Each structure stands twice: as C-alpha cells, then as structure tokens.
C-alpha cells in the first residue's frame, strides 16, 4: 500500500475522483512501511462522505465502514484465546491490537470487557454479542437515515 495512498490522494485531488477519495480515506486504516494504521482518521473521512457525498459515494462509504469494522473486529478477536480449563477466554493482546489500529474510543473495549462478553457462558456470551450487534445495527440505521435526510434536503 506504500505508494498507493499518496497516488490515490493526488488523483482524487487533481481529478475530483470520488473513487479516488474513497480509496484514499480507506487506505488510512491500512499499515505499510512508514505508515501506521489510523482507523480514527479513516472513519472520520468516510463518515464525512456519508453525510455530505452524493448518493453513490455515501453508499460506497457506508460499505467501506462496514468492511473496516469487520476487518478490525476479526483482528481484535484473533488476539483472543479460548482456554479449556478453567474454561475462559483471554484477550491479552486486544488493547495492543486496538492501539495498533488507531481505533477511535467508541470502537475500543477493555480486554476484561471483551473476555467477559466472549466467555461468560454460552447464553450470556451470546446475549452480550446480540446486544452489541443490535447497538451497531441501531447506529448504522441512524447513519443511513442521516445520509438519506441530508440527500433529500439537497
């Protein structure tokens, strides 16, 4: 990704390319030699496209946010380990992974909270996951409604 981001950003700036702007924003969450991940900046730029971009750019930005959320979530979960006895889940690397991604505060959890949600027993762990997904869906609906209303007003 090294040379890709500066190139994408120059193209986006020079030619007004929506695709280039979207790529430029999304690449902020990528790491390469000399560049640390910056999920906070990527999300800020993508959220701006959702709120102020045209309809196709808004939808593409929402998909980019969803894709980054999945990639980030899987990265954090890969840092967790299930232990058979005593039965528990440990996520010692979660904080480091979240920091490496440059995650915004609303996308971070303490390792203990994550461990509790994942390992508090089948029903409780599943319920915590369901509540988390419902909260994410609710936030997503709010973002989508906001984008729809901003486009109707234009």
């Amino acid at each position: 990704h090294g040379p890709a981001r500066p190139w994408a950003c120059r193209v986006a700036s020079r030619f007004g390319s929506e695709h280039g702007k979207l790529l430029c924003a999304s690449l902020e969450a990528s790491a390469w030699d000399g560049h640390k991940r910056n999920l906070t900046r990527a999300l800020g730029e993508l959220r701006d496209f959702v709120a102020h971009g045209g309809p196709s750019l808004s939808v593409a930005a929402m998909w980019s946010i969803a894709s980054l959320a999945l990639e980030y979530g899987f990265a954090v979960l890969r840092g967790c380990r299930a232990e058979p006895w005593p039965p528990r889940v440990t996520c010692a690397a979660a904080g480091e992974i979240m920091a490496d991604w440059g995650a915004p505060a609303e996308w971070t959890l303490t390792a203990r909270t994550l461990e509790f949600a994942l390992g508090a027993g089948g029903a409780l762990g599943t319920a915590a996951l369901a509540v988390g997904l419902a909260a994410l869906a609710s936030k997503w609906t709010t973002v989508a409604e906001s984008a729809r209303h901003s486009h109707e007003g234009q």
Side-chain angles (χ1 to χ4, degrees), residues 25-48:
S26 296
L27 283 173
E28 272 299 323
S30 297
W32 60 84
D33 287 341
H35 182 268
K36 292 181 75 169
R37 292 180 184 272
N38 191 340
L39 184 59
T40 300
R41 183 172 177 180
L43 291 173
E45 291 178 19
L46 291 168
R47 287 175 180 152
D48 190 51

